[in-house]
Amino acid sequence: MNKELSQEQREVLLGTLKVRFEKNMNRHKDLEWDKVQAKIETNPEKLWSLNEMEGTGGEPDVVDHDNKTGEYIFYDCSAESPKGRRSVCYDHEALESRKKHKPENNAIDMATAMGIELLTEEQYRKLQELGSFDMKTSSWVQTPANIRKLGGAIFCDRRYDTVFVYHNGAESYYAARGFRGSLRV
């Protein structure tokens, strides 16, 4: 798979990211777009991942800066779970365990193919401090090994102005459940 964007694709994506960045300064106070863009432009594989996030409806935006590594941290900031990543079970093992009515894909493999990671529960809660997300949908989050070993997986959403963490069989999938990712650039 070609993981390089054309010059036109790069320009369109960077323009989209810049507009979103400037429109949502509350997500990244004290950060400057020019520095973020410079970092993105020196990492073409990360630019490709951001394009994948954007193309599946994630609306990626900067939510933090790691002062130790110098990396900018992007999360999917779409109001609802990204539309192009819904109706998926949790992981490959869960997908293989289904005998009938298998979903087309699973969250872990999709995220890996995109070069991103599912949000952790902690990251999901941090995202919810920046706005109200998943008011009608839900998102798989990284599941602790002990839960996954027993066949379960966890997901989160926001209802009644509260972030909820739930469990489900990892093989389950719903039209309103997808996943949100993070990317360090």
Side-chain angles (χ1 to χ4, degrees), residues 27-45:
R27 295 177 184 161
H28 36 254
K29 291 181 179 82
D30 304 323
L31 296 183
E32 299 171 33
W33 172 252
D34 291 343
K35 291 179 180 178
V36 174
Q37 181 171 339
K39 189 78 166 179
I40 294 170
E41 288 178 330
T42 62
N43 290 282
E45 72 286 348

Side-chain angles (χ1 to χ4, degrees), residues 2 34 42 49 55 60-61 67 70 72 85 89 94 118 122 124 127 132 135 140 150 156 184:
N2 182 9
D34 291 343
T42 62
S49 292
D61 197 7
N67 291 323
Y72 293 96
R85 299 186 230 154
C89 61
L118 265 67
E122 179 183 355
Y124 188 90
L127 173 68
S132 295
M135 303 282 283
W140 290 115
L150 296 171
C156 300
R184 297 175 74 93

Side-chain angles (χ1 to χ4, degrees), residues 85-102:
R85 299 186 230 154
R86 295 185 197 163
S87 295
V88 295
C89 61
Y90 182 73
D91 60 13
H92 186 76
E93 181 184 345
L95 180 65
E96 290 301 310
S97 75
R98 289 193 70 97
K99 302 298 179 227
K100 293 182 181 177
H101 311 293
K102 288 187 179 201

Side-chain angles (χ1 to χ4, degrees), residues 90-91 93 108 118-122 139-156 165-168 170:
Y90 182 73
D91 60 13
E93 181 184 345
I108 297 294
L118 265 67
L119 293 184
T120 63
E121 178 185 344
E122 179 183 355
S139 297
W140 290 115
V141 295
Q142 288 184 32
T143 298
N146 61 321
I147 294 173
R148 185 61 197 97
K149 185 178 175 184
L150 296 171
I154 60 173
F155 63 96
C156 300
V165 179
Y166 305 92
H167 59 87
N168 220 170

Side-chain angles (χ1 to χ4, degrees), residues 2-184:
N2 182 9
K3 292 191 174 184
E4 275 194 42
L5 303 180
S6 69
Q7 183 63 32
E8 182 182 351
Q9 288 173 309
R10 284 194 298 274
E11 289 172 11
V12 168
L13 179 60
L14 288 169
T16 299
L17 294 173
K18 180 180 181 181
V19 167
R20 185 173 299 126
F21 182 92
E22 291 172 347
K23 186 178 173 186
N24 297 285
M25 290 304 293
N26 63 303
R27 295 177 184 161
H28 36 254
K29 291 181 179 82
D30 304 323
L31 296 183
E32 299 171 33
W33 172 252
D34 291 343
K35 291 179 180 178
V36 174
Q37 181 171 339
K39 189 78 166 179
I40 294 170
E41 288 178 330
T42 62
N43 290 282
E45 72 286 348
K46 303 289 184 163
L47 186 63
W48 180 86
S49 292
L50 286 166
N51 193 59
E52 292 294 294
M53 292 170 83
E54 185 69 29
T56 54
E59 300 178 21
D61 197 7
V62 179
V63 297
D64 206 356
H65 180 252
D66 185 328
N67 291 323
K68 289 179 186 167
T69 65
E71 294 171 309
Y72 293 96
I73 302 165
F74 286 79
Y75 287 176
D76 287 306
C77 292
S78 54
E80 301 298 339
S81 195
K83 199 170 194 137
R85 299 186 230 154
R86 295 185 197 163
S87 295
V88 295
C89 61
Y90 182 73
D91 60 13
H92 186 76
E93 181 184 345
L95 180 65
E96 290 301 310
S97 75
R98 289 193 70 97
K99 302 298 179 227
K100 293 182 181 177
H101 311 293
K102 288 187 179 201
E104 289 185 26
N105 213 333
N106 69 81
I108 297 294
D109 287 352
M110 283 182 76
T112 300
M114 295 169 68
I116 65 175
E117 293 185 353
L118 265 67
L119 293 184
T120 63
E121 178 185 344
E122 179 183 355
Q123 289 170 325
Y124 188 90
R125 289 183 183 283
K126 180 177 178 177
L127 173 68
Q128 292 287 1
E129 292 173 9
L130 302 175
S132 295
F133 301 93
D134 286 339
M135 303 282 283
K136 298 175 187 163
T137 57
S138 61
S139 297
W140 290 115
V141 295
Q142 288 184 32
T143 298
N146 61 321
I147 294 173
R148 185 61 197 97
K149 185 178 175 184
L150 296 171
I154 60 173
F155 63 96
C156 300
D157 65 21
R158 182 185 193 106
R159 303 290 191 275
Y160 309 107
D161 202 28
T162 302
V163 175
F164 289 93
V165 179
Y166 305 92
H167 59 87
N168 220 170
E171 74 285 348
S172 66
Y173 66 99
Y174 300 94
R177 183 174 311 145
F179 70 92
R180 293 176 180 276
S182 69
L183 178 70
R184 297 175 74 93

